[in-house]
Amino acid sequence: MPRTRISRSGSPSRRPSRRGALIATTGALALAGAGVGAWTFLAPGPGIEGVSDGAVLSGRAAAQVSAYLGAGAPAGGKGLHATLDGAPVPLTADGARMKLALPQLKEGRHTLVLDGDSSLPFTSHRKVVGFSVDTTPPELKVAAPEVKNASAPVTITGNASSDAEVTVNGKKIPLDKSGAFKATVPKGTPLVTVTAVDRAGNTTTKDVSARGRRPMIRAAHITAIGWGDDTLRGGVLALVRSGKLNAVELDVKDEDGEVGYASQVPLARQIGAAKGYYDARKAIDELHAAGAQVIGRIVAFRDPKLAAASWKSGQQDRLVLTPSGEPYNGGHYGALSFTNFANPAVRKYNQDLAVEAARLGFDDILYDYVRRPDGPLSQMRFPGIGSATPEQSITSFVADTRTALRPQAKYLGVSVFGIAATRPTEIAQDIPALVKVTDYVAPMVYPSHWAPGEYGVAQPDTSPYAIVQRSLADFARLAKGTQTEIVPWLQDFSMGSTYGPAEVAAQIKAAEANKMESFILWNAGARYQGAALQQIAAH
């Protein structure tokens, strides 16, 4: 450091000393010679190392910070005293250095002060370091992009904390004074990752889909066991190859709680649910080669396999219970049939299957039985639901699944009852809430399932066009203003009345009357009436 000579009168002097050689080190008193008239050399005193004045530390950095006395401190820190926000801070030896034993640093501003006794030979006896601890992640809001043209670039907009640095898929994006930002990503970008980092290094990340609305799908259902049947599989593939279908719904987990392929999800294997009826990758490859997208249906909360295993192992909270603590008898489904949608393990199990299926190559995940059982709510208990309603709990489950699936860039759909549009609490399916957390809603508007007089239709089963058209109009209304598609399940089976090509075609026309091009056909035996279907026009 520069050496300054101080005269006996206190004024600086540039004259060379006549009484000995100069010896000086940072923070130490240096004397040259001895006796009256000796020149005295003073250093500014030791500083504080490890935390700088004006620093902003994240929670992680604050937990790891270490502060030391700078060079020139007297041995053992003798004569020095430290305080943090007015409270004493001990000085401890750390090897050859003296460490300030800082307590756990809390959120907010802090002042670290180092004082030295007046007897110490320093020009300054006080060092002050002001710093802040910021553990709060920056605010980040990203709007769901509107994709009106799938062949055009997509604009991503949002707002972040004004002091944050924002990147969109790794590219730095400027903010205006209010924190608003705008970025463009190339067409076909399935997933956009937006990250905000503040001065302290705290990070908030949001993923959004840039694919827009789910493109038109016309699909048919087939079970896991049905896929292994050459005749059933061949019939469905023939409809795809003829251009009448462009997707197939293949069961991942069915109404019996069986997983159709050899799942590696630990709980599926633990309870014996992973059956391996088909090879998932091979089936997906075959369907893709035929020109079909693959929708993986997961029957969520109707799960006899998980229910029975959980009850047997004493994990009753995984089931929907009666007020007395017995398994709720889900009507014709049986006592050990419905698992508890509020239970974390049940939720995670279904979400783990969804993520696994997405990674295997399924294009969509479609939840079914994502609801509470039929019957009076007063006769059911959902352990762990807290203050939430069944509708809120189920909506949050779907939202959590969508978040889990975003890195896989797959579509998420939910199958719902037709009555959910007008009577959501009967089975805990809140359509206005669900359309905000999924890519499409698939209402089961089978004419045979409506009671006489619904929607003013005397006999819905014999009036397929009327009942489907009127019921879907409600779903269209509830999804208006969102990018969520309505993809109805349509009836291709006979129950009461005989359904042939004309009845199936009437339902398709009813959907089209509501501007719904997509549909999924249901026939439990996977035998479909191709005569009801038109070839899909090129878009």
Side-chain angles (χ1 to χ4, degrees), residues 197-403:
V197 183
D198 65 16
R199 288 178 58 200
N202 299 305
T203 300
T204 301
T205 299
K206 297 283 180 73
D207 291 327
V208 295
S209 169
R211 297 166 304 175
R213 304 177 76 95
R214 209 287 172 226
M216 185 263 286
I217 46 172
R218 295 189 172 183
H221 157 79
I222 189 168
T223 65
I225 293 176
W227 182 257
D229 183 288
D230 292 343
T231 300
L232 298 181
R233 183 178 68 255
V236 171
L237 286 171
L239 291 173
V240 171
R241 292 182 176 122
S242 68
K244 292 185 175 183
L245 297 177
N246 68 354
V248 171
E249 180 272 287
L250 176 60
D251 282 355
V252 170
K253 177 161 73 84
D254 64 16
E255 292 87 344
D256 293 325
E258 293 185 344
V259 180
Y261 58 82
S263 172
Q264 298 303 303
V265 170
L267 187 53
R269 302 186 71 81
Q270 178 186 329
I271 65 176
K275 295 300 181 182
Y277 294 131
Y278 64 86
D279 182 312
R281 293 188 188 277
K282 184 178 178 181
I284 292 166
D285 287 347
E286 185 174 3
L287 283 162
H288 283 169
Q293 297 170 73
V294 191
I295 302 167
R297 173 175 171 259
I298 296 176
V299 176
F301 302 125
R302 180 185 170 187
D303 193 332
K305 203 79 176 172
L306 179 60
S310 298
W311 185 260
K312 183 178 180 180
S313 63
Q315 295 170 298
Q316 290 90 343
D317 284 0
R318 290 181 179 178
L319 278 71
V320 177
L321 302 175
T322 65
S324 63
E326 294 299 312
Y328 177 78
N329 189 330
H332 58 281
Y333 300 116
L336 293 173
S337 55
F338 270 88
T339 54
N340 177 16
F341 51 77
N343 180 270
V346 173
R347 293 163 74 103
K348 184 178 185 300
Y349 176 46
N350 286 285
Q351 289 165 0
D352 286 350
L353 286 172
V355 171
E356 179 184 61
R359 288 174 176 166
L360 285 169
F362 284 89
D363 301 289
D364 295 28
I365 300 300
L366 176 59
Y367 277 139
D368 204 349
Y369 286 85
V370 59
R371 61 177 179 88
R372 72 170 178 86
D374 314 55
L377 195 57
S378 61
Q379 298 304 306
M380 303 177 198
R381 279 202 307 113
F382 311 104
I385 195 170
S387 60
T389 65
E391 295 77 37
Q392 290 168 338
S393 183
I394 283 171
T395 299
S396 71
F397 163 75
V398 175
D400 290 347
T401 302
R402 191 183 204 185
T403 299

Side-chain angles (χ1 to χ4, degrees), residues 444-459:
M444 296 175 283
V445 290
Y446 311 132
S448 63
H449 285 37
W450 292 99
E454 290 272 10
Y455 284 101
V457 181
Q459 295 296 329

